[in-house]
Every structure is written in structure tokens, then in C-alpha cells.
Amino acid sequence: MTYGVASNEGTPSGAAKRINHVVVVGGGTAGWMTAAGLAHMLGASGLGQAGLKVTLIESEAIGVVGVGEATLPHIKAFNDTIGINEAEFMAATSATFKLGIEFVDWGRKGDSYIHPFGEFGLPNEGVAFHHYWRKFADVAGPLDDYSLPVVACRNAKFQPPSEDPRSVLSTYRYAYQFDTLQYAPFMRSHAEKKGVTRIEGKVVDVALDPDDGRVTELTLENGQSVAGDLFIDCTGFFGLLIEKQLETGYDDWSEWLPADRAVAVPCESAGPLLPYTRATAHEAGWSWRIPLQHRTGNGHVYSSQFLSDDAACDTLLGGLEGGRLADPRFLRFVTGKRRKLWNKNVVAIGLSGGFLEPLESTSIYLIQEGISKLVELFPQDQDCAVETREYNYWMDLQFERIRDFLILHYHATQRDDSDFWNHMRNLKVPDSLQERLELFRAHGHVSAYEHGLFLVPSWIAVLIGQRVIPQGFDARVAGTPEAHVKQHLAGLRDHMSKAAGSMEDHATFLRRYAQM
Ligand code: FAD
């Protein structure tokens, strides 16, 4: 039995084949987000009315990776775009709000700073706030005190941001922490309402066009065939189409990011419900703590070159704050990305496209970016070399920027208490990161880009949080009258503290908003 559409119907002989039917293989976070996004934006009943047919194949027997609970603020825009109701989504996935990530013991043991999803200082101040902070570092106190989301995190507070650009409440955004096993089913029901057809089964054979090597048809274990025009590989670490069939190749970045294993375990909630993820550095890696409504997600990411599985597991279990809810689960990975995220008529989205360790919760963002770029560039027909090149250029850029930002966390450290930290501190980092570090060290400037992940405030948070203090500052602050700036700094701290104080308790807000 062949499932699909006669997609070449009406095409003049010799003309490129139209793309009418997209087949997504894999039903984890990546697969269902992709199917929902494509159906909503390009599907027959979707916005663009491009009439695209979307089919998703998944195998319950294989299952999903089962981790990936912390996100970045961009996910809200994705959810809004595809028409997801926030309160319903949060209730269905036991989600909490996330205003940033706390990094403990990274610069030195005993240090703690928060990378907030927001600005330092007030909006529209002209020269970036941290230059004033640097000039008056002797009296300014911690940079953290000048960021509203940080002060809110420290006090377990939450309030949705204001849309008034003059308000200090407009200086931040938020993301979610959710139960990954509840997320894919939630997206599935949304995608099916948008017209996505689901097929249960394991893909056991892949047919390629003998002339151009494109994928033409998939065969399932039960003998069913599924033909398509464009295939999205969302098969996770298997990389069934992009690697096993097309042998696209992998850029291995473990020389810079040597963590290659993780062990994960959920535990009972304990203490106040914090609106942030915590990343605590250890001997040869770090552990995450992700608070959800009904439990806490925990995991230890480490380098097997420097630490045994048993030692990693002991560290994780020793740090649990509540009773363990399941057995520890080990995962292996190689940090890096496919040489081409889009190869022939296969686009790899999710873990099949690559994996950068979860330190800054970037994987779901990369899934979203892959979907958005694909929709933006969606080709009329299979003659799409230009679109493929642009897609690969853009996604490579995203991966490389994130890679550099992650390396920064390990490299900008004064820790010398283990072989791992000595190795990371002395690492030869990519030139792109080295140049950023040099510019910042000299003047406190971060070379900026306007789109994508980790804009200037994120770099500032991590650089200063990890004790990279610039020698100089923006020349425009040099002549600012000292008394005036000191008064302004004191007023600002007070303003942040009062604004955070007037926010609601995170757990109270959630109970009211998302039926916790
Ligand atoms: P999977 O969940 O593995 O799904 C693969 C799908 O393909 C499954 O449905 C499977 O059944 C199907 N499949 C495979 N082979 C076949 C076949 N032959 N036939 C049919 N179906 C098939 N991301 C974040 O954004 N934040 C985090 O905090 C975070 N933490 C992480 C921690 C760790 C340790 C790891 C390893 C990853 C983390 N991630 C995180 C990444 C996140 O888990 C993934 O990006 C996300 O879950 C998407 O996974 P996926 O859908 O690509 O793969």
C-alpha cells in the first residue's frame, strides 16, 4: 500500500517536481513541533494556504530521548504564532516560568550569577549600562543587582513583562520549563487539529532516486510505503535519513566541548518554586536543576575523558533536594552538527541535525529556528539549490554562535581544582571567540548581531559573571560626573528591588494562571 499524493500530477515533462507532501519522520519534540509549524503556516487549512500535506511517522517502540525541559524565550513567539493558548499549554505540560539560568561555581567555587532573559539597567539609556557599572565598579556592587529578572529570580517572583517601553517591567522576557514527556503529546494534538496525519510504525527501508540520490519513499515494518517530496528527519540521534542514508557527515566539536555523557533523574519538588534553571559546575562538568510544577528534573553532564559514569551518578544523586522518582538514565552524545542540515530533499531538525550540550537550553531553540527558516525559504519545487544553501548558511551560523557562547562558560574560569578545569581554562578556543574575548577585555564591548541567540546582555552576564572584567569602558562615560552616576546607581538598585518586591510569588501566580 502506498500512502501519499500523486505530487507530479500536472507537471510539464522536464519541469521540476512541485513540493506537495512533506513527510516528517520522528515524533519527539522536534517532530511534533515541525509538523505543527508546517501545517499551521503552510498546510491546507493553515495561514499561507499553500496546500501542503504533512504526514508524521513515529515509532512508539523506539520512543523519544525523554530529556529537554528548559527553554529560551523565543519559544513563546513560536507558540503564539501557531495559536497555542499559554495557560492551557502550561497546565498540560506542568510548566513553570523561567526568567534565566543561575550558574553556580563556574568562575570560581563559591561564585553564583544569573544569566537573565533581559537587560541590565533601565531601557533606553544610550551607552550600555555595564560601561557605567565598570567605571564605578568600586562602589557599584554586583552587576546582578541592576537586572530586574535577576532580582525577581533571587526572590522567586514572577510577573509577565509590561509592553510599555518606559517601564522597568519591559526589560525582560521569559521562557518555560516543562515536562518533556507531556510536551510532544500536547503538540501532537495541536498538530492533528491542524490537519497533520500521523502514522505509527518503524521505518525499516528508504528508497532513493537512482539518478539524483533523493529520498523517494519510506517502507515501514508492516510493509506500508509512504512516498513524499520533502522529508524532515526528526529521528533524534539516529539520523536515519540525513546520516544513515545520505551519509552527510558530522562536524565534531568535542575538542572544544568535551562533555559527551549525561545522567538524568527526576526527584520530588523541594523548597520554593524557582522561576529559573540552575547549572552547578562540578569536577568534570555540571548538573542541571529544572523546577516543574509536579517535580524537579535533574541531570549531570560530564566528560567521560575526565570522569567515570559511577562518579557522575554519585554526584548527581548526592545533590538531589527531594526523593528520587525514577532510576538514573544515562545518555551519550557527541557535540557538533551535520555538515549540511539540509541535504538533497532531507532537512534534519532536532537531534538528528546536531547537538550542543544543554548548558544554555539551546536545542529547542534550534528546532524552532530550523522550522522558521524552512517556512521562510519553503521552495515551490524540488529545484531548490539556492534555498538549501541559504538554509545551511543560516543554521551553521546559529550553531557556531551557540558553540562559542558555550565554550566561554568553560574557558572563562579561574578554577584549577581538577584536570578538566585546567584543560578547559587553557583551551585554544575558536578564533571567533578569541576575538570577542579580546575586544571585551580591552573596552567592555561585545561585537553585536541583531538577530539570533545571545545578544549583548547575555554575553555581558556570562563574561562579568565569570570574572572577565574589562580593562576599559566606552569613552562616552569617561566624563560623567561621579556624584551623579553614584546617585543614579543607588536609585537604580532601589528601583529594581521595589519593582521585584511588587511582583507576585511565582508559585502563587502559577496556581492562579495555569491551574497548578
Ligand atoms: P527524539 O526525542 O529522540 O525523537 C526521535 C523520534 O524519532 C522518536 O519519536 C522516535 O520514535 C522516532 N524514530 C527514530 N527512528 C525511527 C524509525 N526508524 N522509524 C520511525 N520513527 C523513528 N534541549 C533543550 O532545549 N533544553 C534542555 O534543557 C535540554 N536538555 C537536554 C539534556 C540532554 C542530556 C540531552 C541529550 C538533550 C537535551 N536537550 C535539551 C535536547 C532535547 O532533548 C532535544 O532537542 C529534543 O527532545 C528533541 O529531540 P528529537 O525530537 O530530535 O529526538
Side-chain angles (χ1 to χ4, degrees):
M1 177 174 57
T2 296
Y3 179 91
V5 289
S7 47
N8 227 7
E9 242 172 53
T11 307
S13 136
K17 195 176 160 191
R18 252 188 94 77
I19 296 180
N20 292 322
H21 185 199
V22 177
V23 179
V24 178
V25 188
T29 295
W32 283 114
M33 280 180 79
T34 304
L38 289 178
H40 182 81
M41 291 183 262
L42 301 173
S45 50
L47 291 178
Q49 290 168 4
L52 202 66
K53 180 174 176 58
V54 182
T55 301
L56 183 143
I57 305 170
E58 68 175 320
S59 161
E60 273 169 22
I62 296 177
V64 297
V65 69
V67 278
E69 310 201 305
T71 64
L72 293 173
H74 309 69
I75 192 167
K76 178 167 170 22
F78 179 79
N79 284 355
D80 290 349
T81 302
I82 65 170
I84 285 178
N85 175 289
E86 183 177 70
E88 273 171 30
F89 152 72
M90 294 189 74
T93 60
S94 308
T96 55
F97 288 103
K98 176 179 175 189
L99 293 170
I101 305 174
E102 182 188 22
F103 290 90
V104 178
D105 292 343
W106 284 81
R108 278 189 203 163
K109 270 188 169 178
D111 282 2
S112 156
Y113 71 93
I114 289 183
H115 166 197
F117 298 149
E119 310 276 335
F120 293 95
L122 289 174
N124 310 319
E125 286 206 306
V127 178
F129 173 77
H130 70 279
H131 291 285
Y132 293 97
W133 174 85
R134 170 63 190 89
K135 178 160 164 32
F136 297 99
D138 49 335
V139 292
L143 183 65
D144 271 6
D145 291 354
Y146 301 93
S147 162
L148 182 55
V150 174
V151 183
C153 283
R154 297 281 187 214
N155 292 285
K157 300 279 196 169
F158 181 78
Q159 180 175 327
S162 161
E163 286 178 11
D164 177 356
R166 292 161 305 172
S167 165
V168 67
L169 293 166
S170 72
T171 58
Y172 61 94
R173 298 191 296 156
Y174 64 85
Y176 314 102
Q177 306 167 122
F178 56 64
D179 185 331
T180 187
L181 295 178
Q182 296 173 343
Y183 182 69
F186 176 82
M187 286 306 273
R188 172 183 165 185
S189 82
H190 191 77
E192 285 180 326
K193 280 185 212 138
K194 300 270 169 197
V196 174
T197 305
R198 173 184 181 272
I199 299 177
E200 165 62 34
K202 180 176 173 186
V203 175
V204 290
D205 196 27
V206 180
L208 302 181
D209 184 309
D211 295 328
D212 59 16
R214 287 163 185 260
V215 175
T216 54
E217 198 170 85
L218 311 175
T219 306
L220 309 188
E221 211 164 29
N222 65 2
Q224 181 178 359
S225 299
V226 182
D229 306 317
L230 183 69
F231 292 82
I232 316 293
D233 187 341
C234 294
T235 60
F237 288 132
F238 293 100
L240 182 73
L241 306 180
I242 195 78
E243 196 57 49
K244 299 234 160 54
Q245 285 303 317
L246 298 186
E247 298 180 343
T248 302
Y250 197 74
D251 292 325
D252 179 340
W253 288 340
S254 41
E255 67 175 290
W256 294 305
L257 291 166
D260 58 353
R261 293 201 186 168
V263 50
V265 72
C267 76
E268 290 165 344
S269 308
L273 190 63
L274 301 177
Y276 60 89
T277 296
R278 180 177 294 144
T280 305
H282 297 297
E283 181 189 339
W286 61 279
S287 63
W288 75 74
R289 177 191 184 278
I290 303 178
L292 309 179
Q293 291 182 19
H294 58 317
R295 63 166 173 81
T296 302
N298 308 276
H300 184 180
V301 174
Y302 57 100
S303 167
S304 62
Q305 207 187 317
F306 294 91
L307 196 73
S308 71
D309 291 346
D310 285 348
C313 193
D314 288 347
T315 301
L316 178 67
L317 298 182
L320 294 186
E321 291 171 11
R324 179 152 68 87
L325 294 173
D327 288 334
R329 210 158 61 82
F330 286 87
L331 298 117
R332 293 175 176 215
F333 53 85
V334 178
T335 288
K337 56 167 270 297
R338 294 279 163 232
R339 298 235 160 89
K340 293 178 187 169
L341 276 293
W342 184 341
N343 188 7
K344 301 185 191 290
N345 64 339
V346 172
V347 183
I349 295 184
L351 296 172
S352 62
F355 182 55
L356 299 172
E357 59 146 284
L359 185 56
E360 285 278 359
S361 324
T362 46
S363 286
I364 294 172
Y365 164 82
L366 283 166
I367 292 171
Q368 197 184 319
E369 199 57 24
I371 299 166
S372 309
K373 207 67 192 169
L374 179 61
V375 167
E376 182 189 319
L377 294 170
F378 201 82
Q380 289 289 315
D381 54 49
Q382 295 214 2
D383 182 9
C384 53
V386 172
E387 291 87 344
T388 307
R389 271 200 303 277
E390 174 63 16
Y391 183 90
N392 286 332
Y393 162 76
W394 177 254
M395 293 306 293
D396 284 358
L397 198 63
Q398 303 309 305
F399 269 85
E400 282 164 19
R401 283 177 180 166
I402 295 170
R403 176 199 68 193
D404 284 3
F405 192 56
L406 297 184
I407 299 169
L408 172 72
H409 295 65
Y410 288 103
H411 181 61
T413 183
Q414 296 177 8
R415 285 188 65 152
D416 58 1
D417 53 297
S418 70
D419 290 346
F420 175 78
W421 289 107
N422 289 335
H423 174 77
M424 295 310 292
R425 211 182 53 253
N426 294 316
L427 199 69
K428 174 157 178 15
V429 300
D431 292 345
S432 43
L433 174 57
Q434 189 57 40
E435 278 165 27
R436 276 180 169 267
L437 275 166
E438 283 170 19
L439 181 68
F440 184 76
R441 283 195 171 111
H443 304 284
H445 283 292
V446 174
S447 52
Y449 40 82
E450 285 179 6
H451 302 290
L453 258 195
F454 305 132
L455 306 181
V456 173
S458 295
W459 283 84
I460 297 301
V462 176
L463 284 159
I464 291 179
Q466 297 202 192
R467 298 173 177 266
V468 184
I469 307 300
Q471 282 157 12
F473 41 79
D474 190 302
R476 287 169 293 176
V477 310
T480 334
E482 191 169 328
H484 171 78
V485 175
K486 283 184 177 166
Q487 196 186 5
H488 180 60
L489 290 175
L492 204 50
R493 285 169 101 163
D494 192 45
H495 192 41
M496 297 295 175
S497 161
K498 286 195 176 119
S502 68
M503 289 175 156
E504 207 163 346
D505 173 67
H506 177 220
T508 310
F509 185 92
L510 265 179
R511 261 192 292 276
R512 188 164 46 74
Y513 185 68
Q515 302 137 33
M516 189 176 89

